[in-house]
Amino acid sequence: MEGSKAQRDFKAGDIIMRQGDKGDYAYIIEEGLVEILIERPDSAPQQVGTRGAGTIIGEMAIVDDAPRTATVKALEDCKMLAISRDDFSQRLKSSDPVIQMISQVILTRYRDTLTRVEILGSSGNHPPAEAIERGYAAQSDVVESVKIANEFKTAIENGDLELHYQPIVDLSNGRVKGFEALMRWTHATEGFISPGIFIPIAEKSGIIVEASKWAVKEACAALNRIETALGNTGEMYMSVNFSSHDFATHGFVDGLKGAIKNGGIRPEQLILEITERLLIQQPDNAKETLQKCREQGIGIAIDDFGTGYSSLSYLYYFPINILKVDQSFVRSLFLDDKSLELVKSIIGLGKNMDLRIIAEGVENREEAHLLTEIGCDTAQGYYFARPMPEDQVIETLSSWKADKLTA
Ligand code: C2E
Ligand code: CA
Ligand code: CA
């Protein structure tokens, strides 16, 4: 038994693990020195190496529960940090699928090599490495996700992405105050792919950064073109979605400034939409980055507000000026009293903290009326308009009737 504590101490001469025993832990040596011994039936144990502080031993135990391939003995008093197979697989599961699969494959190949050179003295009892590797790929949907990620990258390069713009409406007078830019990808053979599918993959693999750079440039320029076509420049805003990867990129704020300048709009006309999750994960210097944006005049909206996190303290910590009430609350406004109370509290909170409120996913007249009644400023949703390509936005807004709220 190797015990279950994360921190383990061994005395000089102790056997830390024995060849042939089942292993559940790998160890990082914090202090001390160990020797690695291979035992053969017909000869004395043979030292094949030593390991000191900062190295890892018994790492195969985090792949499977096959027997230890060597004995490890402390040459000095040692302090070790134990990593269990469960802990490792937990960490692996929460990592990028490509990292997951490559790590598992490397470890499996290592095990396979060990078996082949017959250090074990017998062929062992392991399934073929190829079968195990296929299993890893199947478990994590890695093939599909790498395929989509690669094709998405090509789509950015080929200009196959498009933005659609959904109007955001002032509930006090029914006029359009701005738009949310939503990404659309029409795949050459697969057709329309929902952002609900490609955005999470693009985020996990980091490709989202390229897409976001393109999106913000395109959205700023489109706002200028839309306003010019409608003859009311400088009044409407454009809200663009960002992920935590975007925030971690060097020169993020300069990129925004460039998009604003080249697009020919004012910084006050750009709003960044970020989720609570992004702020809680706190990419390095998120606060500083947001502060810099606010100093430029760029707006910061919390997307899907109310779905991600129970503590509200971050609202004080980060320089936020808009809350977007998640569509799940709007959807259940008439279904349960709790949702109504919750939306009322969000609106109250917003007023107290001087934040603007946008309700998302308004689908009918009743929801629009109720939201207006309880003091919500602005809303977007299919009831007012769906996300549309630029030319359709211009056409729709040229004949926009601000009568949806009096209807
Ligand atoms: P989101 O940011 O919450 O965007 C709102 C989603 O609600 C959009 O879905 C929009 O089409 C949909 N919607 C708007 N009004 C209504 C309504 O009345 N009823 C219902 N049922 N839905 C409505 P979409 O376009 O499929 O986008 C899904 C998600 O993908 C977005 O959710 C956002 O998280 C992400 N996304 C889209 N474009 C981008 C982008 O350019 N960058 C990033 N990072 N994420 C994006
Ligand atoms: Ca959004
Ligand atoms: Ca949202």
Side-chain angles (χ1 to χ4, degrees):
M1 256 312 282
E2 294 177 359
S4 60
K5 280 209 312 256
Q7 173 83 49
R8 305 279 324 269
D9 294 340
F10 296 93
K11 292 249 167 294
D14 282 354
I15 300 286
I16 298 165
M17 62 188 71
R18 193 180 290 281
Q19 184 175 322
D21 284 357
K22 190 170 113 19
D24 293 317
Y25 290 89
Y27 295 99
I28 297 170
I29 308 175
E30 273 197 298
E31 277 175 32
L33 186 71
V34 303
E35 63 175 339
I36 301 169
L37 302 158
I38 300 289
E39 303 192 45
R40 294 204 173 83
D42 47 1
S43 60
Q46 185 191 341
Q47 196 203 70
V48 291
T50 59
R51 295 284 186 276
T55 61
I56 190 159
I57 51 167
E59 68 278 6
M60 293 317 297
I62 55 187
V63 187
D64 57 36
D65 60 359
R68 296 287 196 193
T69 55
T71 294
V72 178
K73 189 175 168 186
L75 290 174
E76 297 171 358
D77 289 356
C78 292
K79 274 193 195 312
M80 308 267 184
L81 282 177
I83 308 163
S84 71
R85 188 156 57 244
D86 285 351
D87 178 36
F88 181 73
S89 65
Q90 203 65 42
R91 285 163 194 263
L92 206 56
K93 266 188 219 141
S94 58
S95 69
D96 178 279
V98 175
I99 307 284
Q100 266 177 49
M101 186 181 144
I102 302 264
S103 320
Q104 285 166 318
V105 164
I106 289 173
L107 288 164
T108 305
R109 291 221 172 130
Y110 179 47
R111 157 79 75 210
D112 194 43
T113 309
L114 289 181
T115 311
R116 271 192 229 177
V117 296
E118 288 186 320
I119 286 176
L120 284 171
S122 72
S123 61
N125 201 13
H126 313 292
E130 202 183 332
I132 303 177
E133 288 176 17
R134 276 211 198 95
Y136 296 142
Q139 272 163 31
S140 51
D141 293 334
V142 72
V143 175
E144 189 58 18
S145 128
V146 169
K147 203 170 144 246
I148 293 182
N150 285 347
E151 288 178 351
F152 184 65
K153 201 161 177 221
T154 317
I156 303 173
E157 289 157 6
N158 292 354
D160 290 344
L161 297 182
E162 220 190 323
L163 289 176
H164 282 194
Y165 306 96
Q166 185 173 37
I168 299 175
V169 174
D170 187 334
L171 288 176
S172 69
N173 57 23
R175 292 205 191 114
V176 176
K177 293 190 85 171
F179 306 92
E180 175 175 4
L182 293 155
M183 212 176 277
R184 296 291 177 257
W185 175 22
T186 311
H187 188 281
T189 52
E190 310 275 327
F192 175 80
I193 303 181
S194 161
I197 304 221
F198 70 78
I199 293 284
I201 292 172
E203 282 179 348
K204 273 199 168 166
S205 57
I207 304 173
I208 193 71
V209 171
E210 283 310 306
S212 302
K213 279 187 191 159
W214 166 79
V216 71
K217 271 192 222 151
E218 177 62 16
C220 291
L223 179 61
N224 187 351
R225 291 190 296 262
I226 293 169
E227 286 202 309
T228 306
L230 297 170
N232 56 346
T233 43
E235 283 169 22
M236 293 196 271
Y237 55 76
M238 182 59 79
S239 210
V240 181
N241 294 281
F242 287 92
S243 77
S244 50
H245 276 289
D246 299 312
F247 272 70
T249 47
H250 185 69
F252 174 69
V253 183
D254 287 338
L256 297 181
K257 284 194 219 165
I260 291 167
K261 190 158 176 275
N262 294 334
I265 62 165
R266 293 180 297 113
E268 288 75 13
Q269 291 182 276
L270 177 65
I271 296 173
L272 315 185
E273 290 198 15
I274 54 180
T275 57
E276 290 168 279
R277 199 162 28 96
L278 183 149
L279 294 180
I280 285 121
Q281 290 166 346
Q282 276 228 33
D284 284 348
N285 58 44
K287 183 177 179 176
E288 212 183 300
T289 307
L290 290 179
Q291 203 90 49
K292 280 192 204 150
C293 294
R294 292 292 299 125
E295 280 159 16
Q296 296 293 315
I298 299 168
I300 313 288
I302 299 297
D303 204 355
D304 306 339
F305 183 74
T307 58
Y309 195 54
S310 54
S311 166
L312 294 175
S313 55
Y314 76 88
L315 288 180
Y316 290 97
Y317 184 71
F318 294 105
I320 291 153
N321 60 335
I322 300 163
L323 298 182
K324 295 194 77 172
V325 178
D326 188 63
Q327 42 181 291
S328 59
F329 300 121
V330 174
R331 195 81 334 102
S332 46
L333 271 180
F334 287 100
L335 300 178
D336 68 78
D337 295 344
K338 280 197 191 125
S339 281
L340 177 60
E341 287 312 313
L342 202 96
V343 176
K344 278 186 186 167
S345 334
I346 297 175
I347 293 169
L349 177 81
K351 294 241 151 95
N352 288 335
M353 292 186 66
D354 211 15
L355 306 171
R356 277 156 43 204
I357 308 286
I358 302 175
E360 294 190 282
V362 175
E363 289 187 352
N364 55 52
R365 195 173 150 268
E366 290 70 29
E367 287 166 353
H369 276 273
L370 183 55
L371 286 162
T372 313
E373 221 169 88
I374 59 177
C376 183
D377 315 326
T378 29
Q380 72 187 89
Y382 298 164
Y383 177 59
F384 299 106
R386 290 191 173 246
M388 301 170 277
E390 187 179 326
D391 51 355
Q392 216 175 310
V393 168
I394 296 171
E395 199 184 309
T396 307
L397 263 72
S398 312
S399 57
W400 185 264
K401 294 199 180 60
D403 61 358
K404 289 246 171 180
L405 294 158
T406 47

